[in-house]
Amino acid sequence: MVWRDIDGKDLLKIGELAKLAGVTNRTIDYYTNMKLLDFERTTSNYRLYDVAMVDRVHQIENLKEQGKHLTEIRQILTPERRDIQSQIKQLEQDIKRIAQSDNLEQIKQLATKDLAVVKALLLLLH
């Protein structure tokens, strides 16, 4: 059964999330305690998870299969890292625009901006 919050967002109880993600309730509970999964509390004190947490569990499981430890996974999935991922996507879009541009000044501006972002990303990753 899918719950809906006041904003119309679909939410799942722990068992529903576990079933959809293909893991146990205990795994969901452990990931929650490790601060890997976000949840909301109901007035009855139930934890409700956004449907997007199914994908998050799959990400966690994939990273575990790659040999990553949960503390390392938490660092990978922090908001700062998600921001890095969005910046990388922006860089990719900028590179496509540069490749299609004939305007040398525009190319120079994009390249300068992107170089600064890449340097910032490298600092965050190390």
Side-chain angles (χ1 to χ4, degrees), residues 64-82:
K64 281 177 50 183
E65 287 174 11
Q66 295 173 24
K68 307 268 190 241
H69 297 281
L70 290 178
T71 52
E72 193 177 7
I73 292 170
R74 185 174 50 223
Q75 290 176 333
I76 292 168
L77 298 177
T78 59
E80 294 83 23
R81 289 289 180 125
R82 286 193 298 263

Side-chain angles (χ1 to χ4, degrees), residues 18-75:
K19 184 175 180 180
L20 288 172
V23 297
T24 64
N25 289 16
R26 188 166 185 240
T27 299
I28 298 298
D29 192 45
Y30 187 68
Y31 291 169
T32 301
N33 290 332
M34 290 287 297
K35 308 252 188 281
L36 291 167
L37 301 176
D38 300 325
F39 64 93
E40 298 176 19
R41 288 253 184 222
T42 67
T43 54
S44 304
N45 210 28
Y46 285 108
R47 284 181 290 184
L48 295 177
Y49 297 86
D50 188 303
V51 173
M53 290 298 108
V54 174
D55 289 334
R56 173 63 71 92
V57 173
H58 290 154
Q59 284 180 308
I60 294 166
E61 294 295 307
N62 286 335
L63 290 166
K64 281 177 50 183
E65 287 174 11
Q66 295 173 24
K68 307 268 190 241
H69 297 281
L70 290 178
T71 52
E72 193 177 7
I73 292 170
R74 185 174 50 223
Q75 290 176 333

Side-chain angles (χ1 to χ4, degrees), residues 96-114:
K96 286 178 185 174
R97 274 190 290 156
I98 288 171
Q100 296 171 351
S101 177
D102 291 333
N103 184 336
L104 187 58
E105 189 55 37
Q106 182 185 15
I107 292 171
K108 209 190 292 185
Q109 288 173 355
L110 286 172
T112 302
K113 180 188 91 173
D114 290 349

Side-chain angles (χ1 to χ4, degrees), residues 81-93:
R81 289 289 180 125
R82 286 193 298 263
D83 186 48
I84 288 172
Q85 290 169 341
S86 70
Q87 289 182 22
I88 289 171
K89 285 181 183 176
Q90 181 61 50
L91 284 172
E92 289 169 346
Q93 291 172 355

Side-chain angles (χ1 to χ4, degrees), residues 1-5 9-13 16 42 48:
M1 177 177 171
V2 176
W3 299 69
R4 284 221 166 74
D5 70 0
K9 184 170 55 172
D10 291 342
L11 301 171
L12 305 166
K13 283 187 174 179
E16 296 160 335
T42 67
L48 295 177

